[in-house]
Amino acid sequence: MKRFDLIDGMRGYFLVFMLINHLVFVGGYWLVEVNHRQFAFVEDAQGFVFLSGLLIGLVYARKMMKYGYETGRQAIWNRSMELYKYAMGLVIAVLAVTLVLPHASYVWFNWIGATSFDDPLRLAAIATFVFQPTFMDILPQYIVYMLFAPLLIKLCLDGKWAYVMVGSLLVWMAGQLGLQKVITTPLHELVKGPDDQGIRVSFNMLGWQIVFFSALVMGAMTAQNKIEWKKIFSPENSWIPKVALLVCLFFMPLRIATAWGLMPDYVIGKFAAMEIRADFGPVYLINFIAVGVGLTWLLIAGPKHHSQIVRRIANGVIWVLSLKFLQLLGRHSLQVYVWHVAIVYAVYYMDGRTAELSQLEKTLIAIVGIALLALPALWRERDKWIGGTKATA
């Protein structure tokens, strides 16, 4: 169970930094500049999507092996429908608040456009994920991916995981080449509203699906005990973290240069084409593989490595991911994610309606926001804290 606890800790960690990175203040604030995304082309959303795919593959592959494909498929699609209700409920809640709070539609215009209950075309675009308000764009990914997940898990159970991986890689390449524009360009014109916004998405699903489905394959293979993680990520295979570290060190100065606008114009033109975040470009893919592989080795093999420094680093990472607060958030990641969007919108509204805040005030708001993340998780586990039967996540 420790492995699942650490996964919950990771999800909680990603949720905390997702909130930090999504809080928007006039004039900015220093906390958003002090985290891992400033030193590597790896962000919280990638880890969040990957862990979700891993758990989908692991949990539902076991269901299919035990109860059959039909039962597993229905369970996945039921989960997808639950996510859809959350996604739509979040949009409806924000639109309802705009009817009550003064000037809310003006303050949030950059995030929701001219969206209102009086615009059926825009509402239809939202319902079909063609138009995704700012920070409401991760759940649509999950929902679409989970529609395909049952078949792909079945292929993995039938020993055809390689076909799934090759297919995912080809779809990723199609996203890099922009082939989706054959459909999205005319669709954009078809659903364009009075604010001149048609298709509005932060993630190219053709590109980002490789994060989810590669993890799904790993989860399904793990459920069948076909991956010997401890043998692959053993203390003796120290070349694995060394290669991962070399890749990260190569990209670190490039990330710092782009983050702080230090890269020369004659370089950034070429480089930018390779590191398009929305498409999960090659730079992001390579960095994510390096960080993911390195972190996995550190968690599995690090505590047993002969080097005391490596052991201390590994134990330090495990200690962070073992924090009860982070694991609490991770156990209820869906509800906490939805709640984090509400916090972000509330803070943005408050900031837009007041004079510019000081860095201290912004920092305090961020800290309070992080603490408030736990509310839905605590509510869902209320029986555990006040006595009675433990609530399930």
Side-chain angles (χ1 to χ4, degrees):
M1 290 302 294
K2 184 178 180 181
R3 181 171 62 246
F4 289 95
D5 289 340
L6 291 181
I7 288 176
D8 284 336
M10 285 187 193
R11 292 201 291 184
Y13 174 88
F14 294 141
L15 284 164
V16 167
F17 275 93
M18 203 178 288
L19 176 68
I20 291 174
N21 292 330
H22 287 172
L23 290 176
V24 178
F25 296 98
V26 173
Y29 77 121
W30 71 277
L31 268 182
V32 79
E33 305 295 344
V34 186
N35 61 67
H36 53 269
R37 76 169 190 170
Q38 299 298 100
F39 303 100
F41 293 94
V42 178
E43 300 176 357
D44 310 295
Q46 300 158 24
F48 206 63
V49 171
F50 181 86
L51 291 180
S52 297
L54 182 69
L55 289 174
I56 291 294
L58 182 61
V59 172
Y60 292 101
R62 288 177 175 172
K63 284 185 180 292
M64 287 185 186
M65 289 189 293
K66 186 173 182 179
Y67 301 109
Y69 172 72
E70 298 293 336
T71 300
R73 181 185 64 183
Q74 193 58 50
I76 294 175
W77 285 354
N78 288 343
R79 179 64 170 173
S80 179
M81 179 55 65
E82 180 186 8
L83 296 181
Y84 187 79
K85 291 177 180 177
Y86 273 103
M88 294 301 102
L90 192 56
V91 175
I92 292 172
V94 168
L95 293 182
V97 170
T98 61
L99 301 177
V100 179
L101 290 182
H103 307 293
S105 58
Y106 173 78
V107 174
W108 291 335
F109 182 83
N110 289 336
W111 289 3
I112 65 174
T115 305
S116 70
F117 288 120
D118 299 326
D119 188 346
L121 180 62
R122 175 59 53 79
L123 295 178
I126 290 175
T128 54
F129 303 141
V130 174
F131 186 98
Q132 299 170 15
T134 301
F135 304 135
M136 301 186 196
D137 39 27
I138 287 185
L139 291 183
Q141 276 196 87
Y142 291 168
I143 295 166
V144 173
Y145 298 159
M146 289 177 73
L147 295 178
F148 297 95
L151 175 60
L152 300 185
I153 292 175
K154 180 66 165 54
L155 289 174
C156 292
L157 294 179
D158 292 341
K160 298 178 180 178
W161 63 269
Y163 292 96
V164 178
M165 289 301 301
V166 171
S168 180
L169 183 61
L170 292 177
V171 172
W172 174 82
M173 182 56 69
Q176 307 312 302
L177 297 175
L179 300 185
Q180 73 279 359
K181 292 185 178 180
V182 174
I183 297 175
T184 59
T185 298
L187 182 60
H188 174 79
E189 296 299 324
L190 180 64
V191 301
K192 185 183 293 186
D195 52 9
D196 290 328
Q197 297 187 55
I199 292 181
R200 178 193 174 109
V201 297
S202 298
F203 302 102
N204 179 349
M205 291 190 185
L206 297 186
W208 278 75
Q209 55 76 32
I210 198 169
V211 180
F212 186 92
F213 289 128
S214 62
L216 180 143
V217 170
M218 294 179 196
M221 298 291 284
T222 301
Q224 302 173 79
N225 296 317
K226 290 187 176 181
I227 301 181
E228 298 183 58
W229 293 108
K230 290 185 177 180
K231 184 176 181 180
I232 297 172
F233 296 100
S234 67
E236 293 73 29
N237 290 338
S238 59
W239 63 270
I240 293 178
K242 291 177 182 177
V243 171
L245 181 60
L246 285 174
V247 173
C248 293
L249 291 176
F250 172 79
F251 281 100
M252 181 181 292
L254 299 175
R255 180 63 187 121
I256 293 173
T258 57
W260 297 95
L262 303 176
M263 185 172 286
D265 293 340
Y266 53 81
V267 176
I268 198 170
K270 178 69 173 180
F271 185 79
M274 303 287 286
E275 62 100 27
I276 300 175
R277 177 183 181 273
D279 294 337
F280 201 68
V283 170
Y284 279 94
L285 179 60
I286 294 171
N287 273 260
F288 183 75
I289 293 174
V291 172
V293 168
L295 181 60
T296 302
W297 183 92
L298 195 64
L299 292 175
I300 296 176
K304 300 177 181 179
H305 195 261
H306 63 81
S307 171
Q308 185 179 20
I309 295 177
V310 173
R311 291 199 303 271
R312 286 181 176 178
I313 294 174
N315 290 328
V317 173
I318 292 173
W319 178 82
V320 171
L321 300 181
S322 299
L323 292 174
K324 297 302 182 183
F325 178 76
L326 297 183
Q327 292 184 357
L328 172 66
L329 300 183
R331 287 196 297 272
H332 308 278
S333 58
L334 170 59
Q335 292 77 18
V336 173
Y337 170 79
V338 172
W339 177 236
H340 117 278
V341 175
I343 293 174
V344 169
Y345 270 74
V347 170
Y348 190 49
Y349 175 80
M350 178 194 68
D351 186 68
R353 295 281 290 167
T354 60
E356 183 172 346
L357 303 171
S358 68
Q359 287 295 329
L360 177 59
E361 291 171 325
K362 295 173 184 178
T363 303
L364 290 175
I365 290 173
I367 293 174
V368 171
I370 293 171
L372 290 176
L373 278 178
L375 288 182
L378 290 173
W379 172 254
R380 286 173 59 80
E381 293 193 6
R382 60 191 179 278
D383 291 338
K384 176 181 178 181
W385 309 112
I386 63 178
T389 304
K390 180 178 179 180
T392 56

